[in-house]
């Protein structure tokens, strides 16, 4: 295996499949099976999950809701997704711990960096819920922060498209897929892979980001094996 410890960033939308809202149990079960393949290869896996399938703080704020309050509600939504994913993993005998940045001791552990690392060393999947615990920060930024804290070698960002394009592939059939990019290109061209804070954190800590299509079964294990799928940002490709 090319990586020993990885962080997987899952959007909340990835968990709802073709539903318009909520969680599709079959999709979650499929994701759990793919993650199980990775764990069975003795790769340590941490996950940050979003909450956009249940509640989007930015959208609610734009509609008039207090931004900080909206962001806290969104953080709670990520915990619901984290617990759902934990259940799917443990039903196939993958030991899993949920750690949250907002205390919810009845259902999850508090986020403690050393404890998270110890869980990973013992072969447990660790799912980070409740974002960073602070409003005004995205779960992409949380992914970059947690990856740096636990010394992850790479961030895998699972999306609905095959990687990073120079324009929206849904609107432009001639959009070009990038195979590799450096951090500065992503920032200056405003490619919106992750928010600017997340990209800056990855650049500062030299954490590469692999963006790939989650919908294709087996892509998670292919990416971790180092196969050429999606787009890789930074790492040895960062020439600036």
């Amino acid at each position: 295996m090319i990586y020993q410890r990885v962080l997987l960033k899952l959007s909340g939308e990835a968990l709802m499949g073709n539903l318009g809202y909520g969680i599709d149990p079959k999709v979650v079960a499929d994701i759990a099976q793919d993650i199980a393949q990775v764990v069975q290869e003795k790769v340590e896996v941490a996950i940050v999950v979003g909450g956009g399938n249940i509640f989007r703080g930015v959208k609610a704020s734009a509609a008039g809701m207090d931004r900080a309050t909206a962001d806290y509600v969104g953080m709670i939504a990520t915990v619901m997704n984290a617990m759902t994913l934990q259940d799917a993993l443990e039903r196939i005998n993958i030991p899993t711990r949920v750690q949250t940045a907002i205390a919810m001791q009845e259902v999850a552990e508090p986020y403690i960096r050393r404890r998270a690392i110890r869980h990973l060393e013992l072969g447990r999947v660790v799912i980070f819920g409740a974002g960073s615990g602070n409003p005004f920060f995205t779960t992409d930024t949380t992914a970059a922060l947690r990856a740096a804290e636990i010394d992850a070698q790479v961030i895998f960002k699972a999306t609905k498209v095959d990687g990073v394009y120079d324009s929206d592939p849904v609107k432009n059939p001639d959009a070009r897929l990038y195979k590799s990019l450096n951090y500065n290109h992503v920032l200056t061209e405003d490619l919106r892979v992750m928010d600017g804070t997340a990209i800056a954190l990855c650049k500062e800590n030299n954490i590469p980001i692999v963006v790939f299509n989650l919908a294709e079964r087996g892509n998670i294990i292919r990416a971790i094996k180092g196969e050429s799928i999606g787009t890789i940002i930074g790492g040895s490709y960062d020439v600036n």
Side-chain angles (χ1 to χ4, degrees), residues 7 46-48 99-102 111 113 116 128-134 140-152 155 201 207:
L7 188 137
I47 302 170
V48 169
Q99 291 196 344
T100 59
I102 298 172
Y111 171 65
R113 174 180 173 268
F128 299 118
S132 67
N134 300 292
D140 281 344
T141 296
T142 302
L145 177 63
R146 296 288 183 255
E149 288 179 305
I150 66 171
D151 297 319
I155 294 173
L201 265 172
I207 303 170

Side-chain angles (χ1 to χ4, degrees), residues 142-162:
T142 302
L145 177 63
R146 296 288 183 255
E149 288 179 305
I150 66 171
D151 297 319
Q153 296 165 292
V154 63
I155 294 173
F156 289 106
K157 182 174 170 64
T159 71
K160 293 183 176 181
V161 293
D162 291 332

Side-chain angles (χ1 to χ4, degrees), residues 1-168:
M1 281 292 164
I2 191 171
Y3 303 111
Q4 284 75 52
R5 179 178 295 166
V6 305
L7 188 137
L8 176 64
K9 170 58 172 64
L10 291 174
S11 68
E13 289 88 342
L15 303 185
M16 69 182 181
N18 293 321
L19 301 178
Y21 174 85
I23 299 167
D24 184 333
K26 184 181 185 309
V27 169
V28 177
D30 286 345
I31 292 171
Q33 289 286 352
D34 283 351
I35 294 168
Q37 280 189 287
V38 178
V39 174
Q40 287 158 6
E41 295 289 342
K42 307 301 182 185
V43 177
E44 298 172 7
V45 181
I47 302 170
V48 169
V49 63
N53 56 318
I54 299 171
F55 188 89
R56 296 192 68 87
V58 172
K59 186 175 181 180
S61 175
M65 190 173 183
D66 174 74
R67 173 63 190 274
T69 301
D71 281 355
Y72 280 118
V73 175
M75 289 180 221
I76 293 168
T78 72
V79 178
M80 296 168 67
N81 285 336
M83 292 174 64
T84 300
L85 185 56
Q86 178 187 37
D87 176 75
L89 285 164
E90 294 199 329
R91 278 190 281 114
I92 54 173
N93 300 315
I94 301 299
T96 307
R97 299 292 185 272
V98 173
Q99 291 196 344
T100 59
I102 298 172
M104 298 184 185
Q105 62 267 27
E106 286 81 9
V107 295
E109 298 178 1
Y111 171 65
I112 299 172
R113 174 180 173 268
R114 287 179 178 271
R115 182 180 290 177
I117 291 171
R118 185 57 179 156
H119 285 319
L120 293 169
E121 291 171 344
L122 292 172
R124 299 164 183 155
V125 173
V126 179
I127 306 174
F128 299 118
S132 67
N134 300 292
F136 305 102
F137 291 93
T138 68
T139 50
D140 281 344
T141 296
T142 302
L145 177 63
R146 296 288 183 255
E149 288 179 305
I150 66 171
D151 297 319
Q153 296 165 292
V154 63
I155 294 173
F156 289 106
K157 182 174 170 64
T159 71
K160 293 183 176 181
V161 293
D162 291 332
V164 183
Y165 289 82
D166 60 359
S167 59
D168 188 342

